Amino acid sequence: MHETYQKFSIQAKSAAEEILDCIANNSHFTINCHYDADGITAAGIIAKSLSRQNANFHLKLVKQMDQEIVDTLSDSIYDTIILGDIGSGYLYLLKNIKKSKKIFILDHHQINGDVNEEITQVNPHLHGIDGGKEISGAGVTYFVAKSLDEKNIDLSPLAVVGAVADMQDKNEKRELNSLNSLIVNDAIEAGLLKAERDLIIYGRETRPIHKALSHTMNPFLPGLSGQEDNCFALLSSLSIPIKDGDRWRTIVELSNDEKKKIFSAIVEHMTSKEVSASPVMTLIGTVYTLINEDMWTSTRDAREYATLLNACGRMDRPSLGVAICMGERGSTVKEVANLLSEHRKSLASYISLITEKPENIERYEHLAIIHSEEFLNENMTGAISSLLSSSETFEKNKVIIVLAKTKNGEIKLSARGTDELIEKGLNLGIILQTLAKRYNGNGGGHKIAAGAQIPESNQENFLSDLKNEISRALSE
Ligand code: C5P
Ligand code: C5P
Ligand code: ZN
């Protein structure tokens, strides 16, 4: 094993030993995890592995780390705190928690604040491993869980779901690398996962082929995305049977020849529309299949599973997602499928609102700021900025900032960059850490994706500094 991976793994093992000591001393744990899909899978992994130790715990999903949460943790009846997929960016706040409490941080965000002996922190950045690409929050918790008990290797597929949820497969081959690939190997060896190069189309396990194709939004396929009839016509022109008796066939049931035919037809279609066909290449990559999940269900394909959990968080029902991670199926999955369909509708309507009102977009050389403060739900900034950032038809190779107002009257913003800008030296997580603090807010994240909350009265100055910091980073 690579030396840095080994160091990371030793740190996870030592944290697991400390957790076992706490359990032996009858500790009462409070677990706080981030409310997005990676945080939800992290929560599932921690909760499942602590239940297996018969530990006493309480679990909560949180949108962010701030003074209020720190105060709640400090005053709570629980003596041991575990933070999953959150915390490393907020060491400067966490240091004020009562010294009598034991704190564990299992996270992959960039670190902000002094690392000290009192807090047990497992984080890839401590070993020079990039938490934005090489391991997710769920992955970090998985390494600890595996050291708690070998049995927890059966939780490895959840860590794969967490990694794809955080888009750690966003590379040419669309595959998980580095520490993530060790988790993939565990899952394959345990007979729980299949990883193979194939067509990555949303709903490949669950939807009729034309519907799956029309649901493909990333990459956006002009004339096909969102246009079921056109997708149906395209398939008919290829003479590919789309039904098997009364039942619709799915992408997984297609032969290799049929898949190749569809792929070539999409490329041809794009060329005929005079748009670049290169984004279509991202439709081929490594597909991760959870082989113990039932056929034709949304928890069988890791990316689809991640989308389901993401909707739970964004629609304010993250605990439903945790229930699914802990094994609930049937009516819970149905309930979540309805949430997902609502979530999709609201995403689509927000995207139209934004693209129909170009006057709300402030444009600079390396930056586009979307002023959606007056209409966007605060939970949606991340999804909208990720979508716009990967869209071929929106501002290309710029930082995208999406703004919303929170219920408390603060400004919430999500920033997304591109690989090209990162290579030029951009680090959005560090920029937002620094500026949010300067303007009495909280911010942080990864190089390529970060967020912040700030008081509304500081918005103008904050954005002006942000614009300058981004230009400075890219001109050095
Ligand atoms: O809090 P957490 O680390 O789990 O969230 C990471 C966020 O960064 C996710 O919302 C993910 O979609 C986003 N991301 C992105 N583009 C990347 C990598 C991550 O938008 N290339
Ligand atoms: O909220 P959003 O999806 O934009 O978050 C992008 C990344 O920035 C996530 O990894 C999130 O955990 C992180 N973030 C943070 N502090 C904030 C807001 C977001 O570390 N105040
Ligand atoms: Zn994460």
Side-chain angles (χ1 to χ4, degrees):
M1 204 198 284
H2 203 289
E3 195 185 335
T4 54
Y5 299 175
Q6 212 148 18
K7 283 190 178 149
F8 170 80
S9 178
I10 290 169
Q11 189 176 49
K13 195 164 184 208
S14 140
E17 279 160 12
E18 281 189 73
I19 292 176
L20 287 174
D21 284 345
C22 291
I23 297 172
N25 290 325
N26 221 1
S27 286
H28 287 63
F29 290 84
T30 178
I31 308 167
N32 280 20
C33 291
H34 196 212
Y35 82 131
D36 71 358
D38 180 27
I40 290 172
T41 42
I45 291 172
I46 304 173
K48 191 89 194 188
S49 40
L50 287 195
S51 339
R52 282 178 170 162
Q53 301 290 335
N54 294 317
N56 199 321
F57 69 90
H58 162 262
L59 172 72
K60 198 171 155 190
L61 286 305
V62 296
K63 287 190 185 176
Q64 73 224 25
M65 187 50 68
D66 55 24
Q67 191 59 49
E68 197 182 323
I69 292 177
V70 166
D71 291 342
T72 310
L73 288 170
S74 193
D75 296 337
S76 78
I77 53 165
Y78 302 95
D79 50 56
T80 309
I81 299 165
I82 301 185
L83 303 178
D85 188 36
I86 201 160
S88 290
Y90 296 92
L91 297 179
Y92 62 97
L93 290 177
L94 295 165
K95 72 170 194 272
N96 298 325
I97 290 181
K98 281 182 195 147
K99 296 288 171 251
S100 57
K101 313 244 180 214
K102 176 67 206 158
I103 306 177
F104 293 91
I105 302 178
L106 316 179
D107 193 9
H108 69 136
H109 288 92
Q110 295 185 96
I111 296 167
N112 192 7
D114 297 328
V115 177
N116 64 39
E117 302 282 294
E118 281 164 34
I119 295 181
T120 300
Q121 189 179 199
V122 185
N123 186 314
H125 291 283
L126 292 170
H127 310 284
I129 302 168
D130 183 358
K133 285 184 167 177
E134 303 180 63
I135 188 164
S136 67
V140 175
T141 62
Y142 169 73
F143 269 86
V144 175
K146 186 179 159 181
S147 294
L148 281 175
D149 186 343
E150 285 272 310
K151 218 196 253 171
N152 295 330
I153 288 180
D154 68 351
L155 304 175
S156 49
L158 285 179
V160 172
V161 173
V164 294
D166 265 8
M167 300 186 180
Q168 300 201 324
D169 62 335
K170 216 173 157 193
N171 47 45
E172 216 170 288
K173 289 187 164 168
R174 300 283 319 263
E175 70 181 3
L176 296 173
N177 298 314
S178 177
L179 286 171
N180 279 326
S181 68
L182 300 183
I183 303 172
V184 167
N185 290 346
D186 275 4
I188 292 173
E189 271 172 33
L192 301 168
L193 190 80
K194 191 169 69 181
E196 57 189 358
R197 266 182 90 65
D198 205 334
L199 272 184
I200 302 183
I201 288 184
Y202 181 83
R204 63 194 307 283
E205 292 273 351
T206 51
R207 281 162 206 262
I209 306 157
H210 60 292
K211 287 197 190 236
L213 209 50
S214 77
H215 270 85
T216 303
M217 293 295 160
N218 185 5
F220 190 83
L221 308 170
L224 295 176
S225 295
Q227 313 228 358
E228 219 175 287
D229 291 350
N230 291 355
C231 294
F232 192 91
L234 180 98
L235 293 171
S236 309
S237 72
L238 300 174
S239 319
I240 292 178
I242 49 176
K243 278 192 154 183
D244 178 8
D246 280 344
R247 204 178 48 76
W248 293 102
R249 294 173 80 205
T250 58
I251 303 244
V252 281
E253 293 165 67
L254 296 175
S255 69
N256 280 340
D257 269 356
E258 287 174 321
K259 286 186 219 171
K260 277 185 194 149
K261 256 191 190 170
I262 292 182
F263 183 76
S264 311
I266 298 173
V267 172
E268 236 168 77
H269 169 87
M270 296 283 274
T271 320
S272 74
K273 296 263 167 193
E274 292 182 5
V275 288
S276 157
S278 62
V280 181
M281 291 317 292
T282 61
L283 288 179
I284 297 179
T286 305
V287 169
Y288 299 96
T289 308
L290 281 69
I291 49 189
N292 279 5
E293 298 287 338
D294 288 342
M295 290 286 285
W296 299 301
T297 64
S298 328
T299 46
R300 206 171 142 90
D301 174 64
R303 291 184 181 86
E304 193 166 348
Y305 196 155
T307 308
L308 211 58
L309 298 180
N310 185 47
C312 296
R314 305 302 170 186
M315 301 296 282
D316 284 323
R317 304 287 303 279
S319 50
L320 278 181
V322 180
I324 291 179
C325 292
M326 295 190 71
E328 271 190 47
R329 293 289 178 269
S331 63
T332 311
V333 176
K334 279 207 187 102
E335 201 175 344
V336 174
N338 291 334
L339 281 183
L340 175 58
S341 133
E342 291 299 308
H343 175 64
R344 245 181 229 292
K345 278 184 209 148
S346 75
L347 256 178
S349 68
Y350 284 132
I351 292 283
S352 330
L353 270 176
I354 289 168
T355 48
E356 280 161 15
K357 288 201 171 164
E359 66 273 18
N360 288 342
I361 305 174
E362 208 182 316
R363 293 184 168 87
Y364 301 97
E365 188 187 355
H366 299 299
L367 173 67
I369 303 174
I370 321 296
H371 286 279
S372 36
E373 307 80 312
E374 296 311 323
F375 57 87
L376 186 61
N377 176 306
E378 61 181 289
N379 290 354
M380 303 293 276
T381 56
I384 301 280
S385 55
S386 289
L387 244 169
L388 293 177
S389 171
S390 59
S391 160
E392 274 294 302
T393 46
F394 199 66
E395 300 288 307
K396 274 198 198 157
N397 204 28
K398 282 189 186 181
V399 173
I400 308 287
I401 306 275
V402 174
L403 302 165
K405 217 179 273 181
T406 71
K407 281 191 216 112
N408 312 329
E410 287 197 306
I411 292 293
K412 151 91 193 163
L413 63 102
S414 283
R416 298 292 183 268
T418 65
D419 282 322
E420 207 170 305
L421 298 176
I422 304 301
E423 266 161 40
K424 287 187 179 154
L426 183 73
N427 187 333
L428 290 172
I430 300 291
I431 293 179
L432 290 189
Q433 271 179 9
T434 318
L435 291 186
K437 241 195 213 167
R438 187 181 302 163
Y439 288 102
N440 293 325
N442 296 308
H446 310 289
K447 284 182 181 169
I448 201 159
Q453 289 83 12
I454 48 153
E456 196 184 357
S457 54
N458 292 339
Q459 177 179 343
E460 208 178 311
N461 292 335
F462 175 92
L463 288 179
S464 158
D465 279 5
L466 179 58
K467 193 177 84 187
N468 293 336
E469 285 296 326
I470 292 173
S471 322
R472 204 161 61 133
L474 293 172
S475 63
E476 270 168 12

